[in-house]
């Protein structure tokens, strides 16, 4: 039934239309409804409108066939529902289940935003393939290189299978064929098929007709006339207008909300709803009406803040909203099914998209000629063509043909797009990476040509009217000068500055990286290479530099950065073009390329390509204007130079004077072509091309020798320029020139620029005479005179002496590089290149992965082989601590492969590596004192084109270079000012010259040695051998002796006579002896020097130790003074304990001035109650270890400590089955509130404290905008020394010198009873106890009204300072107490009465000790007790707090001599001893067991520490009895069958008869007894005993902390013997006094009577006795994302958070900084709001997407290191690198420890203190 039945029919059916027609053609009815809707709905779009449109669409779509889509019973859709949702909900024909995998088809799962996707380098076809998590987990990727990403926007498609045949058919523009052999086909009635096609076709046309009138980018007309001229589809042209605001990334919610409130007068709620809609839908209507001037005014004021605004007729806007529903509907159809057939609907939509638009008479307006875009430049456009172009007009929700309109899409992308990341342009990636599609569009749509044309037009700034001119106006091919001038590039223009050009280049790269396309390029180089060369020509010599001589550069622009960005993109495309000629031989591109049939590029094509590029280079370089912006260097000129007795004709150019650019893209292309060494072999060239003279002949055919010199000169100029820059000759050009140099040689661009330029020189050595090349190099470096000798060799017109030597060093570097670098000339495989880079990067020492890949080019890191090589060559050391990272270390055998003269090393690195290698050789063979590092030969295949490079070593020019390098250094050394000091760079030059000589000996020994002995220099006086012999014996160069020795020894093999004649060494047999003797003495002197140094060092260490000891003695309290105290009992009065010095004034702390320790009292909900009804927690207790202070349970921590954790996946899978959506967090309703105190161990005078507090206030006034680490209203401060947060100062007291009461326990109880009977009632005290009979004392409550009165009267008394410190505690406790009444369960008086508020002995001191005890659980206390782990300052803090209690009670008993202690002690005992609690003397109606017995112990410590041991016995029994009651309550709610079984009892010695004890506690109330009996029977004796053991153990641990702190001397740690150590319980009983061992039974019977009347409704909640854990995060980070549906929705807004934060305390998921869950009044984010309900003042969250931990406390917060590290042991914030991450146990423990020790506030304070933080944490 259609919706229209609900409305009066006249609304829909004008009289002319008969209801019968309506049913006959649902489509015309749909048409009619959509056309008339804007007016009939008064232009207001509501959800009812949406429901009506959907209902009409569906009716028209399926006509009478609804049953095909829905189960029969339900053949109409609910309002507003979508078909696929309903099908899924009803499970129609398998909807909603995982779709079956169909082999050979991609799973085509559309990734929603926030979903995880994986990329496996080893399995992917190219780097655009991703897997959805279902496909990833269904396949095995063990040991593969997997990365992991979160889909950033919805609509990325997951491709998890090879290319489908279907896509290749789908290109031609014909209607797609149905998929063959699809197993789930359903036959469709033709009538239904027609209905579906027509409806979808009409829907698409409606979309296009509407979008034709939409504006491209938001703008507002300036006046009414313009407004009325806007094109509109409204037939009535009604003056009803809408203002629409568009979403962007620049404005915050607050900004938009404020603006809306100001401009439109909306309330804050309406405005924020509107802002939310803009964010969600991409735009929203903010105002509608017919008052045009007012609306224009509003719209213009909104544009003032640069928000996108449009103001259009309401009719058009309404239609656009209809369009968004239609698009939603079409998208939904793609997810729906027709019966079991999921493909049919997609096919129908595809068919309609590929049909042309129908402009029939049905549309309400004829085809408007002014529809904004006619596609004139595309023949027969289809609907999809139009849609591609209209995409910028769509907004967020709805986001071969592509190739036809690509240039227009790019226009939109490069020039107008608002939200670039939603651009349709990115669709290119999906298409261009499918080989068949790519090859089709390149062949049939000339796409490469188009792309290159776009690049040309864009960069030459041919942009008219927001369109890039296509095709570009002038072709670069024309040589007439005026045309070429127009083609110059201006690096400062818009195109260079825009970052959006990058993807256009990467599209081109993806396109030509496909094997079919590469074969196309290679088989037709004349077309493709010359086309590309024309584009490269554009960028040749862009942004050149000229050395500044007179002045400095005035303005240092940053245009060079954009130019390098373009170069980077272009360079990668060049690499892809070069690789095209390797396809089919399994070299170069894609993995599976070798199997593909088709033409393979041979030598002929490659030769053609090389010749084409050379031709283009010459065309560009010979233009006079070539260079830049009109400054050329003029025509290329030649000059004749004389060098080494020969004349050379070489290019004339001076880098110091001319213009030089870093960018020579054509040369790089040429270099890429020459890398196909195997094709250029001489035999192959002869065979395939008929060229005789190898590579040389190939080039010589198209270029003369001069031409080749010209070609080579350009890269050489760059090399010379960078040498000069490094030698400081270009300093006046400012920083920009250094920046360019660093980029050019940086690892990102090195491969694309620097390496290519060097390779061109290597090519030159092959084509030209090596002598000519060397002379050209020397000339370009300006060093010909230096290497020619003669009187003026060492003086240069421009270089000073340091620069001259620097340039020599640089030129030798270039020569070594071109003569020994073999990667390109031997066509080294990618894997070997990667291996070589890794080995050289790590030779300098271990390094983390990130630093390692920074030194290696991206192409190699991205390659599959990289990780494999990394495994082969290195050892991985996993991170151990919380701050270190994983490092890779080179395996020892790999050092063999290191070459210290590797061309990417700087001089410093080279020297470091040499030292490392020498040390290694000395270790291997200690007898050789100074080992020689012999270079390795160049590995070049003999038949290859580069085989003749080593023959360069036979050239005389090179010999002369070697000779003068050494000769001039010697000359400079001997003539130097302080003679025999080496000149700057001298040693480096010698190193290099000798290295060249060694290379020559290794490569071409015979000819080289003969030449060296014959060719004489310096007017025929010296040969190279002469100068080497001189150097060997030179005093100043002893370090070179062994190297020269090696060289001369090698030469001796070839020219023995010459060497012997000149070498003046002692005779050979003596030589051996002499040298070893020599070495021996050298060794000896070295040894004595070492010994002397060692002795000196030891003396210094001894002196420092003595100083340290005396310092410790004066500054720190002697740790063992408790033991000494006992010996010195008699002198106790006189002795002062020294507490060191005050940290502010540095004076001694003694009794002359009051001092205290700095501490924090913070609210806490740390202590956890045992939740009743949760079996898991009970099982934890039953499985708990018997001792908490011995080794922690190994199972988990040992597994986790390994990194990355083994079997992480399976562990996660089993855990997620248990944990569910709360990550096993602790339910926060079971926490207990209290105050926790901690101290930082620093002590300060009270006066200094007041001064310091004032200075903090001043800082707050001075830095008003800063988010300070402390909040003054909360009385906070920062410790000046350790920056801990504090808010109180506690009195320091030494332990009271009172011995324990030694009367045996039974006698003591009897005596105490008698003394109570004898004592008179004490009305003062009784007035100070609680009315309700709990026995608590009012003066120990935080909000007690009597406190302030007593303080006022106190002023007259002495001892005032101590009370000031007590007051700091009371002020903080009172303010916290007032804010947290709702969190406390105690029965306490109302505010304003005596005794209101927090009860300090329980909720401050008791809570603090309990927290300390919990934090110590599971921590090893070797040999002793847990108490021995406590620090001195913790005990001092507990004493200080007890001291506060003592002083508080003394306030009320000033008149009495003992300050009322006796009276209070009597009251405590009275409360404990059972006989007296029944007597009528007291009004105790409140059962003692409902109080925490430990509190009573704390009270005793405050007034009567001497009876601690006796009171402890009583409170321990109370604790046992209380535990029994608690257990009965708890076990009652749990069924026993799923709790852990225990075989037998283990603690008979401690508990005796458990059953009797259990029953004696409960026997006084029949109901209670019955429940208890039941529980005992169900759980059995063994389990009950274990529970008693575990629940009372914490009490003993807390008691031990208290006793050790108050009376350290009375509670020493007993020695338990190492053998069979008793369990912790027994050890603690011994420690606390043997009386506890008394049998329980008698006492309990005696105890129980008083509670017979106790009502049962008093539940007793027990605290959890096990180790506390945080919520459990999965071991593998990506498992957090796997089941998006199972991710817990945020409880507040009930959606799955876009940016989730997981509370690590309770495991709840909340929205992070999202506006949906903001607290409107206080502007608090949900993390802060949740923290209030969960952790009290503190929150600890893991931010899932940002992969970081955030700590919150109060209104401050900070980020902390993520507990996850990637495979390489490094943190990856925000998952930018995308490697899979694993939980690192130590880091996780660190977060847990921070929380356990209440360290979060201090962690935050320290972070904020060290930075200038601007706040805003409350918005989290």
């Amino acid at each position: 039934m259609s919706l229209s039945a609900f409305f009066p029919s006249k609304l829909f059916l004008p009289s002319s239309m008969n209801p019968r027609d309506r049913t006959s053609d649902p489509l015309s009815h749909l048409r009619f409804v959509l056309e008339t809707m804007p007016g009939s709905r008064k232009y207001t779009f509501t959800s009812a409108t949406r429901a009506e449109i959907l209902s009409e669409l569906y009716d028209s779509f399926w006509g009478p066939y609804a049953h095909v889509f829905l189960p029969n019973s339900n053949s109409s859709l609910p309002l507003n529902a979508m078909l696929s949702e309903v099908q899924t909900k009803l499970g129609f024909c398998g909807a909603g289940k995982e779709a079956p995998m169909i082999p050979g088809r991609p799973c085509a799962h559309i990734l929603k935003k926030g979903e995880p996707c994986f990329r496996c380098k080893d399995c992917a076809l190219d780097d655009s393939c991703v897997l959805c998590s279902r496909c990833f987990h269904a396949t095995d990727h063990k040991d593969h290189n997997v990365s992991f990403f979160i889909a950033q926007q919805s609509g990325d498609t997951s491709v998890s299978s090879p290319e489908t045949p279907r896509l290749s058919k789908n290109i031609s523009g014909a209607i797609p064929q149905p998929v063959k052999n699809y197993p789930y086909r359903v036959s469709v009635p033709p009538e239904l098929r027609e209905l579906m096609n027509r409806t979808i076709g009409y829907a698409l046309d409606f979309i296009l007709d509407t979008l034709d009138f939409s504006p491209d980018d938001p703008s507002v007309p300036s006046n009414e006339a313009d407004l009325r001229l806007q094109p509109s589809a409204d037939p009535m042209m009604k003056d009803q207008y809408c203002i629409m605001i568009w979403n962007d990334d620049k404005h915050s919610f607050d900004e938009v909300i404020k603006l809306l409130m100001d401009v439109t007068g909306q309330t804050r709620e309406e405005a924020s709803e509107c802002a939310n809609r803009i964010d969600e839908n991409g735009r929203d209507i903010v105002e509608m009406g017919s008052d045009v001037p007012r609306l224009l005014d509003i719209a213009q004021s909104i544009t003032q803040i640069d928000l996108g605004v449009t103001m259009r007729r309401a009719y058009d806007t309404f239609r656009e909203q209809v369009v968004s529903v239609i698009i939603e509907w079409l998208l939904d159809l793609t997810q729906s099914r027709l019966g079991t057939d999921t493909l049919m609907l997609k096919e129908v939509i595809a068919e309609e998209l590929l049909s042309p638009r129908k402009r029939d008479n049905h549309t309400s307006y004829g085809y408007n000629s002014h529809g904004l875009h006619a596609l004139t430049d595309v023949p027969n456009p289809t609907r999809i063509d139009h849609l591609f172009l209209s995409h910028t007009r769509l907004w967020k929700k709805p986001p071969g043909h592509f190739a036809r309109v690509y240039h227009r899409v790019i226009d939109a992308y490069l020039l107008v797009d608002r939200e670039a990341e939603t651009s349709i342009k990115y669709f290119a990636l999906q298409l261009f990476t499918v080989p068949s599609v790519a090859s089709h569009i390149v062949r049939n749509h000339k796409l490469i040509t188009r792309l290159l044309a776009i690049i040309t037009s864009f960069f030459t700034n041919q942009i008219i009217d927001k369109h890039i001119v296509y095709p570009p106006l002038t072709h670069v091919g024309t040589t007439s000068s005026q045309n070429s001038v127009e083609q110059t590039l201006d690096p400062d223009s818009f195109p260079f500055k825009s970052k959006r050009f990058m993807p256009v280049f990467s599209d081109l790269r993806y396109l030509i990286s496909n094997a079919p396309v590469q074969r196309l390029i290679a088989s037709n180089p004349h077309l493709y290479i010359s086309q590309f060369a024309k584009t490269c020509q554009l960028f040749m010599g862009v942004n050149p530099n000229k050395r500044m001589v007179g002045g400095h550069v005035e303005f240092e622009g940053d245009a060079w950065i954009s130019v390098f960005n373009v170069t980077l993109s272009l360079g990668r495309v060049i690499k892809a073009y070069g690789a095209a000629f390797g396809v089919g031989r399994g070299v170069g591109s894609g993995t599976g390329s070798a199997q593909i049939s088709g033409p393979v590029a041979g030598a002929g094509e490659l030769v053609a390509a090389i010749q084409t590029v050379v031709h283009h280079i010459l065309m560009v370089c010979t233009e006079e204007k070539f260079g830049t912006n009109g400054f050329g260097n003029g025509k290329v000129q030649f000059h004749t130079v004389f060098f080494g007795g020969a004349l050379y004709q070489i290019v004339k150019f001076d880098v110091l004077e001319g213009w030089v650019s870093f960018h020579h893209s054509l040369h790089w292309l040429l270099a890429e072509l020459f890398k196909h060494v195997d094709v250029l072999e001489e035999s192959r060239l002869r065979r395939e091309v008929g060229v005789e003279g190898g590579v040389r002949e190939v080039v010589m055919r198209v270029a003369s020798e001069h031409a080749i010199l010209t070609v080579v000169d350009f890269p050489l100029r760059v090399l010379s320029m960078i040498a000069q820059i490094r030698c400081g000759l270009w300093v006046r050009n400012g920083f920009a020139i250094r920046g360019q140099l660093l980029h050019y040689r940086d690892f990102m661009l090195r491969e694309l620029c620097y390496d290519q330029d060097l390779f061109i020189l290597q090519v030159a050595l092959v084509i030209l005479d090596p002598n000519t090349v060397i002379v050209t190099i020397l000339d370009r470096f300006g060093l010909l005179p230096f290497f020619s000798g003669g009187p003026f060799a060492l003086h240069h017109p421009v270089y000073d002496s340091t620069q001259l030597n620097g340039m020599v060093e640089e030129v030798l570097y270039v020569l070594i590089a071109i003569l020994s670098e073999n990667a390109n000339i031997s066509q080294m495989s990618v894997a070997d290149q990667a291996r070589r880079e890794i080995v050289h990067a790590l030779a300098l020492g271990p390094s983390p992965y990130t630093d390692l890949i920074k030194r290696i080019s991206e192409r190699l890191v991205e390659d599959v082989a990289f990780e494999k090589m990394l495994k082969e060559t290195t050892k991985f050391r996993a991170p151990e601590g919380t701050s270190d990272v994983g490092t890779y270390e080179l395996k020892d055998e790999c050092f063999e492969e290191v070459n210290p003269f590797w061309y990417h090393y700087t001089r410093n690195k080279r020297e470091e590596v040499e030292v490392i290698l020498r040390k290694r050789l000395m270790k291997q063979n200690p007898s050789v004192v100074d080992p020689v590092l012999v270079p390795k030969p160049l590995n070049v295949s003999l038949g290859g084109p580069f085989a003749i490079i080593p023959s360069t070593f036979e050239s005389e020019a090179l010999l002369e270079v070697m000779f003068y390098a050494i000769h001039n250094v010697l000359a400079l050394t001997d003539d130097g000012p302080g003679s025999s000091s080496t000149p700057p760079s001298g040693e480096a030059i010698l190193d290099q010259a000798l290295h060249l000589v060694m290379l020559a000996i290794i490569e071409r020994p015979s000819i080289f040695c003969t030449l060296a002995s014959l060719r004489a220099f310096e007017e025929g006086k010296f040969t190279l051998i002469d100068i080497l012999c001189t150097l060997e014996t030179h005093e100043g160069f002893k370090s070179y002796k062994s190297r020269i020795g090696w060289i001369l020894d090698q030469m001796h093999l070839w020219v023995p006579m010459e060497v012997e004649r000149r070498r003046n060494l002692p005779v050979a047999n003596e030589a051996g002896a002499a040298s070893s003797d020599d070495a021996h003495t050298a060794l000896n002197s070295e040894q004595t020097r070492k010994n002397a140094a060692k002795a000196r060092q030891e003396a210094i260490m001894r002196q420092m130790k003595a100083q340290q000891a005396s310092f410790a003695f004066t500054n720190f309290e002697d740790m063992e003074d408790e033991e000494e105290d006992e010996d010195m009992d008699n002198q106790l009065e006189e002795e002062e304990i020294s507490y060191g010095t005050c940290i502010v004034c540095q004076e001694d702390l003694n009794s002359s001035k009051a001092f205290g320790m700095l501490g924090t009292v913070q609210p806490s909900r740390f202590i956890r109650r045992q939740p009743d009804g949760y079996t898991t927690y009970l099982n934890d207790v039953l499985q708990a270890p018997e001792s908490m202070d011995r080794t922690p349970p190994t199972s988990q921590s040992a597994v986790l400590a390994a990194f990355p954790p083994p079997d992480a996946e399976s562990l996660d899978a089993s855990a997620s089955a248990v944990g569910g959506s709360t990550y096993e967090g602790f339910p926060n309703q079971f926490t207990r509130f209290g105050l926790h105190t901690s101290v930082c161990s620093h002590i300060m005078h009270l006066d200094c404290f007041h001064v310091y507090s004032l200075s903090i206030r001043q800082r707050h006034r001075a830095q008003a905008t800063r988010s300070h680490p402390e909040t003054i209203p909360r009385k906070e401060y920062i410790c000046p020394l350790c920056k801990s947060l504090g808010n109180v100062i506690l009195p320091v007291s030494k332990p009271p010198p009172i011995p324990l009461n030694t009367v045996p326990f039974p006698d003591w109880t009897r005596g105490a009873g008698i003394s109570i009977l004898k004592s008179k009632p004490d009305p003062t005290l009784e007035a100070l106890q609680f009315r309700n009979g709990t026995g608590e004392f009012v003066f120990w409550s935080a909000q007690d009204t009597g406190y302030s009165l007593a303080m006022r009267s106190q002023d007259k008394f002495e001892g005032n300072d101590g009370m000031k410190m007590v007051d700091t505690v009371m002020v903080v406790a009172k303010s916290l107490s007032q804010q947290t009444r709702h969190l406390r369960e105690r029965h306490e008086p109302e505010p304003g009465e005596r005794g209101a508020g927090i009860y300090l002995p329980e909720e401050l001191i008791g809570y603090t000790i309990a927290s300390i005890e919990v934090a110590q659980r599971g921590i090893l206390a070797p040999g002793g007790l847990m108490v021995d782990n406590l620090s001195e300052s913790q005990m001092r803090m507990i004493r200080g707090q007890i001291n506060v209690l003592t002083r508080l009670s003394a306030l009320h008993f000033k008149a009495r001599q003992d300050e009322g202690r006796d009276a209070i002690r009597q009251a405590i005992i009275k409360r404990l001893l059972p006989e007296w609690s029944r007597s009528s003397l007291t009004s105790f109606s409140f059962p003692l067991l409902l109080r925490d017995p430990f509190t009573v112990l704390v009270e005793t410590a405050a007034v009567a520490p001497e009876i601690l041991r006796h009171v402890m016995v009583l409170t321990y029994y109370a604790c046992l009895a209380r535990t029994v009651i608690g257990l009965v309550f708890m076990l009652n709610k749990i069924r026993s069958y799923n709790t852990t079984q225990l075989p037998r009892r283990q603690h008979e010695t401690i508990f005796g008869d458990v059953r009797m004890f259990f029953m004696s506690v409960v026997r006084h109330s029949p109901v209670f007894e019955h429940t208890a009996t039941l529980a005992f029977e169900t759980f059995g004796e063994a389990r009950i005993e274990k529970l008693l053991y575990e629940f009372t153990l914490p009490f003993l641990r807390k008691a031990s902390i208290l006793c050790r702190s108050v009376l350290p001397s009375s509670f020493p740690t007993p020695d338990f013997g190492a053998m069979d150590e008793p369990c912790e319980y027994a050890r603690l009983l011994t420690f606390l006094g043997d009386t506890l061992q008394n049998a329980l039974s008698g006492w309990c019977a005696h105890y129980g009577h008083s509670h017979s009347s106790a009502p049962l409704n008093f539940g007793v909640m027990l605290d959890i006795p096990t180790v506390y854990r945080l919520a459990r995060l999965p071991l593998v980070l990506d498992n957090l994302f796997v089941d998006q549906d199972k991710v817990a929705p945020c409880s507040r807004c009930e959606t799955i958070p876009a940016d989730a934060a997981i509370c690590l305390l309770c495991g709840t998921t909340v929205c992070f900084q999202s506006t949906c869950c903001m607290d409107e009044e206080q502007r608090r984010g949900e993390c802060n709001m949740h923290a209030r309900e969960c952790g009290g003042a503190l929150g600890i969250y893991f931010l899932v997407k940002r992969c970081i931990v955030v700590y919150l406390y109060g209104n401050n917060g900070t980020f902390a290191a993520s507990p996850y590290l990637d495979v390489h042991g490094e943190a990856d914030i925000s998952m930018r690198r995308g490697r899979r991450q694993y939980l690192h146990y130590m880091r996780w423990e660190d977060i847990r420890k921070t929380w356990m020790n209440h360290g979060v506030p201090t962690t935050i304070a320290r972070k904020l203190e060290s930075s200038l933080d601007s706040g805003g944490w409350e918005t989290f």
Side-chain angles (χ1 to χ4, degrees), residues 1032-1044:
E1032 185 176 26
T1033 52
H1034 196 291
E1035 278 302 303
F1037 297 107
K1038 284 201 173 141
S1039 57
Y1040 296 97
K1041 194 163 176 179
S1042 62
R1043 250 176 294 177
I1044 298 169

Side-chain angles (χ1 to χ4, degrees), residues 1603-1625:
C1603 296
R1604 171 62 69 86
S1605 303
V1606 179
L1607 292 175
S1609 52
S1610 310
F1611 290 97
T1613 304
D1615 180 17
F1616 299 113
M1619 286 311 293
D1620 50 344
E1621 193 179 55
C1623 63
E1624 187 180 13
Y1625 207 97

